[in-house]
Amino acid sequence: MTGMDVICDLIRDVEDFPEPGIVFKDITPLLSGPDAFETAIDAMVAPWLTAEPGSEITKVVGIESRGFIFGVPIAQRLSVGFVPIRKKGKLPFDSIAQSYNREYGPDTIEIHTDAVGPGDRVLIVDDVLATAGTALAAATLIGATGATVAGFSILIELEFLAPRSLLGDFTVESVVVFGGD
Ligand code: AMP
């Protein structure tokens, strides 16, 4: 079995969670297999290791909450800081907010105003890219700080929901892609 097969094997489909009609991609089996988790981090960080001079990543932003699990080790591998994007009302300091729709309903996310800014090139990390509403809202927040979005590092892309159509010219790197067939 290749490392990629092991990762796929450890992503569990949970039907009708958190609501009827959604097939939830449960990553907890992957997290509890340390070798497979490390393989997943290797794959998520690989496309971002060889940036051209001047276009290096300066911060990794993780989207609450599963984006934190992957974002922190990726930030450590890239030797840059980690910044959390959190759900509304959770961040203690001055924040800006962005509302959006995702696969299973509306939500609002926030980032500290001093977390990133002009001169930063930010890698946004999350576990699942579904409709891309969350990813686009995160990119909008980063843009509002004056920082640049270098791209997205995603573990699981649900291609059948056409998330890339919402993300335009942003660079999106995903490890496991679930198509429509
Ligand atoms: P979306 O905004 O539709 O791309 O949804 C992405 C966000 O919602 C990510 O933070 C995921 O953790 C979560 N999410 C959406 N759909 C799923 C799914 N089918 N399985 C697991 N997580 C999901």
Side-chain angles (χ1 to χ4, degrees), residues 129-130 156-164 174 176-181:
L129 187 66
I156 301 165
E157 177 178 345
L158 305 185
E159 192 183 35
F160 55 90
L161 294 173
R164 287 176 190 249
S174 50
V176 180
V177 178
F178 290 93
D181 302 329

Side-chain angles (χ1 to χ4, degrees), residues 105-124:
D107 216 335
T108 299
I109 51 174
E110 298 183 336
I111 190 170
H112 277 156
T113 51
D114 67 348
V116 294
D120 275 317
R121 287 182 48 82
V122 174
L123 178 63
I124 301 173

Side-chain angles (χ1 to χ4, degrees), residues 20-35:
I22 302 292
V23 179
F24 192 86
K25 297 295 183 187
D26 178 16
I27 56 158
T28 58
L30 174 66
L31 299 180
S32 66
D35 293 344

Side-chain angles (χ1 to χ4, degrees), residues 12-14 17-18 22-27 63-67 87 100-105 107 125-137 154 156 158 160-161 163 166:
R12 175 167 56 195
D13 281 357
V14 181
F17 183 88
I22 302 292
V23 179
F24 192 86
K25 297 295 183 187
D26 178 16
I27 56 158
I63 305 175
E64 186 174 359
S65 59
R66 290 181 296 276
K87 302 287 166 61
Y100 63 100
N101 287 306
R102 61 177 173 169
E103 194 187 6
Y104 39 83
D107 216 335
V125 174
D126 207 355
D127 64 334
V128 174
L129 187 66
T131 64
T134 309
L136 185 61
I154 303 288
I156 301 165
L158 305 185
F160 55 90
L161 294 173
L166 207 61

